[in-house]
């Protein structure tokens, strides 16, 4: 029998959404948008589950056609949260930094308290009312959370929950907030509503975080057909498509180049084959050869790649793409740090003279790269050893739809943990293959090895075939050729 989630937070929405009147509420929302100047002649909103909504085309759409326009008056902005009565009180009285998402949540709750008198009432009436139904691990029971033990997914879910609780602790002491009678459950509902449906735009030359009705109902797809922006001239949010679409097309957006460790705690779902899944590598903070590397602690790790420190251990997260960084969440920061970690005295003197800000972004030497690969392999193996199930066992579970039904919390748990394991295993395999090739005296010797033949014959449409060959071409081949001279 499948365990039922026992929520630490229980939402208490003021405007519950029933199955019977969903369509009526959608019609009221569409009427409200049109009345206030919004345009979406070929778009409809549909419901596919208790708390699931999406956007569909009602007519054929041509590439570059504008499909949605929402005027600024219908948009909720951070500044509105700061300028409303409770927002002003928070700005004046709260101790410490208060996030933009919190001000958006304040604005949401202020409007929600007005009920049907709120200008935004038609929009609020179709928003999710219970985030337990969204499948986020923050609402899982402790027994359910065991399925994602030792994952960065669980760590991130706990961090999101803790962040919301911390921010609530900061603003709940403000007199106006206490007077509002809001609870942590109310605030959590508002924060999750904000978390799952904000857009980062450029508005009049300034970065802004906004919430946009209708456009916020688009589901995720990496290969989305839509593009959006805030149009200063039109004074509104516009959505266009980049390719021709037929009737009934799902008008998706992308929620970013994220792994399942982000999708699950932020949105409550996982992608079946997600190339942006990351593994977490726990590494020493000091050079393994005792070399005092002056720039080691200064090496930047992108916020997207994530970085944390615990005592003598540094955690770096990376996807299988060893050449990508930043928003692509790749392994460039991982290799840059580990190369510095493995420098010997001679290598350090050489790279220290470089004018580059990141002195180990590029390969240093054959021997340094071998040491770096072995260090990464060891970290990956340590992480894999913590899991109670193997990749093969997880894949067997996923292949049985009766055991792990599509979109179930259990399937999402397995997808999250196996995604991390696959990425860690990628680096183990990468080290095993590339160390063999780096140990060869020449490119001719490299090309005669079985490891090289297997690498070059790998399907380039797979993560291994594409990213491993990319690493060979950009790192291994140049190092071996240089060592020949």
């Amino acid at each position: 029998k499948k365990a039922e989630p026992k929520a630490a937070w229980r939402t208490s929405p003021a405007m519950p959404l029933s199955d019977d009147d969903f369509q009526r509420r959608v019609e009221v929302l569409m009427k409200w948008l049109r009345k206030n100047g919004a345009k979406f002649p070929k778009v409809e909103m549909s419901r596919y589950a208790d708390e699931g909504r999406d956007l569909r085309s009602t007519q054929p759409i041509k590439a570059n056609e504008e499909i949605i326009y929402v005027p600024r008056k219908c948009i909720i902005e951070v500044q509105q949260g700061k300028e409303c009565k409770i927002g002003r009180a928070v700005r004046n009285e709260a101790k410490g930094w208060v996030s933009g998402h919190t001000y958006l949540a304040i604005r949401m709750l202020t409007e929600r308290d007005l009920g049907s008198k709120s200008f935004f009432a038609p929009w609020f009436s179709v928003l999710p009312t219970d985030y337990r139904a969204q499948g986020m691990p923050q609402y899982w029971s402790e027994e359910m959370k065991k399925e994602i033990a030792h994952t960065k997914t669980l760590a991130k879910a706990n961090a999101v929950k803790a962040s919301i609780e911390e921010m609530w602790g900061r603003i709940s002491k403000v007199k106006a907030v206490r007077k509002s009678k809001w609870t942590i459950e109310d605030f959590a509902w508002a924060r999750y509503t904000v978390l799952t449906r904000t857009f980062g735009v450029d508005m009049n030359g300034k970065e802004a975080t906004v919430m946009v009705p209708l456009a916020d109902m688009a589901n995720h797809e990496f290969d989305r057909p839509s593009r959006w922006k805030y149009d200063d001239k039109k004074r509104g949010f516009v959505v266009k498509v980049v390719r021709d679409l037929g009737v009934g097309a799902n008008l998706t957006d992308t929620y970013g180049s994220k792994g399942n460790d982000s999708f699950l705690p932020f949105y409550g779902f996982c992608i079946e084959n997600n190339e942006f899944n990351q593994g977490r590598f726990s590494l020493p903070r000091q050079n393994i050869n005792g070399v005092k590397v002056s720039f080691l602690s200064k090496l930047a790790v992108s916020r997207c790649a994530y970085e944390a420190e615990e005592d003598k251990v540094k955690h770096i997260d990376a996807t299988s793409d060893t050449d990508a960084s930043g928003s692509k969440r790749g392994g460039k920061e991982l290799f840059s740090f580990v190369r510095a970690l493995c420098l010997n005295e001679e290598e350090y003197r050489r790279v220290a003279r470089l004018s580059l800000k990141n002195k180990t972004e590029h390969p240093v030497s054959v021997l340094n790269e071998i040491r770096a690969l072995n260090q990464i392999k060891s970290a990956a193996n340590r992480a894999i050893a913590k899991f109670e199930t193997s990749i093969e066992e997880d894949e067997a579970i996923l292949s049985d739809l009766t055991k792990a039904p599509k979109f179930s919390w259990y399937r999402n748990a397995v997808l999250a943990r196996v995604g991390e394991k696959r990425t860690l295993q990628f680096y183990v395999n990468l080290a095993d293959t590339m160390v063999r090739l780096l140990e060869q005296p020449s490119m001719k010797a490299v090309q005669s090895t079985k490891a090289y033949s297997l690498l070059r014959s790998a399907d380039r449409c797979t993560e291994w075939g594409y990213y491993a060959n990319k690493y060979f071409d950009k790192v291994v081949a140049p190092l071996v050729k240089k060592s020949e001279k």
Side-chain angles (χ1 to χ4, degrees):
K1 185 177 179 180
K2 209 162 45 173
E4 292 296 327
K6 297 177 181 178
W9 294 335
R10 298 188 68 85
T11 54
S12 52
M15 293 183 285
L17 179 62
S18 69
D19 292 334
D20 294 339
D21 64 0
F22 174 74
Q23 192 55 43
R24 179 184 64 79
R25 292 179 185 232
V26 169
E27 291 170 1
V28 171
L29 169 64
M30 300 306 197
K31 184 178 179 181
W32 171 75
L33 285 167
R34 292 189 184 98
K35 178 182 177 181
N36 287 286
K39 298 175 183 177
F40 44 94
K42 298 182 180 182
V43 177
E44 68 176 0
M45 188 172 77
S46 60
R47 189 180 192 185
Y48 58 88
D50 286 347
E51 292 294 343
R53 299 138 175 80
D54 65 10
L55 300 180
R56 300 275 174 173
S57 59
T58 58
Q59 302 175 44
I61 300 174
K62 292 292 185 182
N64 206 40
E65 186 175 344
E66 186 177 295
I67 59 170
I68 295 175
Y69 166 75
V70 178
R72 187 171 184 177
K73 66 185 293 186
C74 296
I75 295 172
I76 290 181
E77 307 169 33
V78 171
Q79 196 60 32
Q80 295 171 2
K82 291 182 176 181
E83 293 174 356
C84 70
K85 183 178 178 179
I86 295 181
R88 290 197 302 272
V90 168
R91 290 172 69 188
N92 292 330
E93 299 175 34
K95 304 297 183 183
W97 173 76
V98 176
S99 68
H101 276 200
T102 295
Y103 284 111
L104 284 171
I106 289 171
R107 173 70 166 154
M108 292 282 295
L109 289 171
T110 300
E111 290 295 329
R112 194 198 70 171
D113 286 351
L114 295 174
S116 61
K117 294 181 181 179
S118 168
F119 173 69
F120 297 103
W123 176 20
F124 282 32
S125 73
V126 298
L127 292 175
T129 58
D130 190 342
Y131 283 94
R132 286 173 298 168
Q134 300 291 91
M136 297 165 175
Q138 295 89 307
Y139 287 100
W140 291 5
S141 67
E142 291 306 310
E143 192 65 26
M144 295 166 73
K145 288 179 182 177
K146 289 180 181 178
E147 298 295 343
I148 51 174
H150 308 299
T151 64
K152 59 193 294 286
T153 304
L154 180 58
K156 190 168 289 188
N158 290 337
V160 170
K161 187 172 184 289
S163 173
I164 291 174
E165 290 172 342
E166 178 186 7
M167 203 56 63
W168 173 247
R170 198 165 291 173
I171 71 167
S172 62
K173 297 179 177 65
V174 174
K175 184 177 179 181
V177 176
R178 293 201 308 271
K179 190 176 179 181
S180 73
K181 305 297 183 183
W182 295 341
T183 64
I184 178 62
E185 290 83 11
D186 295 319
F187 183 65
W189 170 82
R191 276 295 302 269
Y192 277 122
T193 302
V194 170
L195 180 66
T196 55
R197 51 200 353 99
T198 51
F199 296 87
V201 298
D202 182 274
M203 186 178 283
N204 298 316
K206 295 181 179 180
E207 292 183 358
T209 302
V210 298
M211 299 178 69
V212 186
L214 191 62
D216 65 343
M217 298 297 174
N219 284 326
H220 167 78
E221 185 181 13
F222 287 127
D223 187 24
R224 56 173 174 158
S226 65
R227 300 292 186 273
W228 47 260
K229 69 174 184 176
Y230 181 83
D231 192 312
D232 291 328
K233 291 182 179 178
K234 293 184 176 182
R235 290 185 57 80
F237 187 91
V238 297
V239 181
K240 292 185 176 182
V241 296
V242 294
R243 56 179 179 265
D244 292 350
L245 299 171
V247 176
N250 198 340
L251 303 174
T252 54
D253 184 23
T254 178
Y255 297 175
S257 303
K258 298 180 174 71
N260 288 335
D261 65 288
S262 292
F263 283 139
L264 192 54
F266 291 172
Y267 307 104
F269 67 83
C270 285
I271 302 296
E272 290 284 331
N273 294 293
N274 189 345
E275 66 175 292
F276 296 105
N277 283 328
Q278 295 176 305
R280 173 163 292 178
F281 299 83
S282 298
L283 301 157
R285 291 173 61 185
Q286 303 298 324
N287 180 279
I288 63 172
N289 296 314
V291 179
K292 293 185 178 180
V293 180
S294 61
F295 58 84
L296 184 61
S297 62
K298 299 176 184 177
L299 283 174
V301 176
S302 156
R303 286 191 306 165
C304 291
Y306 183 82
E307 170 184 33
E309 294 181 4
E310 295 175 5
D311 300 323
K312 297 181 179 180
V313 176
K314 187 183 189 78
H315 301 302
I316 299 180
D317 297 346
T319 68
S320 299
D321 189 348
T322 63
D323 191 48
S325 62
S327 63
K328 294 299 182 185
R329 299 165 175 255
K332 181 175 281 189
E333 290 96 342
L334 174 65
F335 268 92
S336 178
F337 181 80
V338 178
R339 284 170 186 145
L341 200 66
C342 297
L343 291 169
N344 60 27
E345 287 285 0
E346 186 278 326
E347 291 165 344
Y348 173 62
R349 286 194 296 271
R350 182 152 43 88
V351 300
R353 294 193 294 266
L354 298 175
S355 59
L356 295 171
K357 183 178 180 181
N358 187 339
K359 301 180 187 299
T360 49
E361 178 179 338
H362 304 293
V364 176
S365 70
V366 167
L367 292 178
N368 177 266
E369 198 71 13
I370 289 174
R371 292 193 294 270
L373 284 164
N374 284 328
Q375 190 70 215
I376 290 171
K377 176 184 174 181
S378 295
N381 277 328
R382 287 194 299 271
I384 291 171
K386 292 180 181 179
F387 293 101
E388 293 185 4
T389 57
S390 66
I391 292 175
E392 293 73 23
E393 288 171 325
D394 285 344
E395 288 176 343
I397 293 169
L398 292 173
S399 67
D400 186 347
L401 293 179
T402 60
K403 185 179 291 185
K406 291 281 189 180
F407 313 118
S408 65
W409 75 266
Y410 182 56
R411 186 175 190 84
N412 283 338
V414 178
L415 283 170
R417 74 188 186 213
V418 78
E420 295 185 30
K421 290 181 215 174
R422 285 170 179 159
T423 303
L424 292 165
Q425 188 62 49
F426 170 90
Y427 279 93
V428 172
N429 297 342
L430 187 75
D432 286 342
T433 298
M434 301 305 166
V435 167
R436 282 193 216 109
L437 300 181
L438 284 165
E439 289 173 340
Q440 303 305 312
S442 66
M443 277 302 295
K444 185 176 181 180
V446 165
Q447 292 165 354
S448 68
T449 63
K450 184 178 180 180
Y452 177 82
S453 298
L454 290 172
L455 175 68
R456 287 318 209 189
S457 63
D459 185 352
R460 298 299 177 101
C461 292
T462 63
E463 281 189 48
W464 171 257
Y466 181 77
Y467 291 123
N469 274 287
K470 184 178 178 182
Y471 175 82
F472 175 85
D473 291 336
K474 289 206 163 193
V475 176
V476 176
L479 281 174
V480 174
K481 289 176 182 177
K482 186 176 180 180
S483 69
E484 286 183 277
K485 297 178 181 179

